[in-house]
Amino acid sequence: MTAPAAEGIATRGFAVKAADAAFEPFEFQRRDVGPKDILIDIFYAGICHSDIHQARAEWEPMVPSLYPMVPGHEIVGRVVKVGSEVSKFKEGDIAGIGCFVDSCRQCGACHAGIEQYCIKGSAQTYNSTEMDRVTPTYGGYSKHYVVDESYALNVKAPDADLPGVAPLLCAGITTYSPLKRWGVGPGKKVAIAGLGGLGHMGVKLAVAMGADVTVLSTSPSKEDDAKKLGAHKFVNIRDDAARAAATGSFDFILDTISANHDYNTYLSLLCLNGVMVIVGVPTEPAPLNAFSLIGGNKVLAGSLIGGIPETQEMLDFCARHAITSDVELIKPDYIDTAYDRTVKADVRYRFVIDMKNA
Ligand code: NAP
Ligand code: ZN
Ligand code: ZN
């Protein structure tokens, strides 16, 4: 496959051209490096379940899938060229890119550094367009990215840790932001629902913040891992007795589940005034019983990734606490298999594509 010819920097990625297609090599152009841009040689790209939802068109019509699609929004690599006005990076630095690469820069959200909520709609790293609403964006399953320095992150980590840093750019910030916003810390009983890519980051971060952490999982085989990740307790959500014993016991639940599930079941585990934040995005709407909320004065909320300042804060927090993602490093020819395994919850705990050697 080849994108229509254009000016710019020739690069190579891996794309799907339809919802039911396999990944294949894809040659395309990145834009030339402008005064405020940096060119990144991509080393590692994490596989987020959002990549799967979009590559397989599972979020339509809410999020249309644009093909050919080069997914990937958990990106780390080396800066190999900087524009004349770049101040945050120099050649040789390690940089990261998360879920968006531009926004309007003028609205209240952009001024507040929560660009993911830009009222004009931010430019997503892939399956989207630049702010011109014309030029398609292609993601991190590729050799290079050209991005405005304001939308890239500084990464300070030894080279050996970089595969485990890549998933912080989405899984890390998506869990850090709501944990922080809702005051997770010492004395709080916190449950992480779903022990996948997001979930295992949620466990590590909530433990580092000092909370008492329980994993709510459908996979009893993950109990030992949950404890190794630092969780204090593990509840098999499909075990009626274990679930009943946990009723009313959590101040806060972070729901990272990718598949359709019953929110009412999880809400029943909150204590009085408890808060559940949804970050997982199943493909179907799910019924909500008002009684699940009103009886215990409970809050059900949502959260979308995090802005650039908070993403940098999260990376610095992770560096201080020696937190990285647990990864399985793969070659690009394994992406289709990795997708199938992720859907079966068979990943411990993030697939990361080695683009450095691809
Ligand atoms: P993932 O690695 O596949 O993890 C999802 C986990 O959900 C699985 O490991 C599994 O954990 C659990 N699960 C799967 N099927 C289930 C079911 N039927 N009932 C209950 N639990 C089930 O996915 P991810 O990359 O962490 O992403 C999770 C979700 O968050 C996706 O929908 C993704 O699109 C979304 N997301 C949202 C944001 C945001 O900004 N809000 C950002 C990134 C991703 P157990 O084996 O422990 O049950
Ligand atoms: Zn993601
Ligand atoms: Zn804006």
Side-chain angles (χ1 to χ4, degrees), residues 209-222:
M209 290 172 182
D212 181 86
V213 179
T214 298
V215 168
L216 309 175
S217 175
T218 61
S219 306
S221 63
K222 293 180 181 172

Side-chain angles (χ1 to χ4, degrees), residues 48-51 73-74 99 170-171 198 350:
C48 177
H49 208 120
S50 302
D51 300 352
H73 58 206
E74 294 184 335
C99 297
C170 176
L198 265 57
R350 198 56 136 188

Side-chain angles (χ1 to χ4, degrees), residues 104-107 110 118-119:
C104 85
R105 307 171 191 227
Q106 284 162 358
C107 73
C110 286
C118 172
I119 55 160

Side-chain angles (χ1 to χ4, degrees), residues 103-111 114-115 117-122 131 151:
S103 63
C104 85
R105 307 171 191 227
Q106 284 162 358
C107 73
C110 286
H111 281 307
I114 46 174
E115 305 89 344
Y117 301 121
C118 172
I119 55 160
K120 300 251 173 76
S122 52
M131 294 307 284
Y151 293 82

Side-chain angles (χ1 to χ4, degrees), residues 213-243:
V213 179
T214 298
V215 168
L216 309 175
S217 175
T218 61
S219 306
S221 63
K222 293 180 181 172
E223 180 162 1
D224 287 349
D225 284 355
K227 302 275 170 67
K228 281 187 203 134
L229 292 164
H232 306 93
K233 297 182 209 77
F234 181 92
V235 174
N236 173 358
I237 199 78
R238 289 184 177 149
D239 176 333
D240 292 345
R243 198 180 59 245

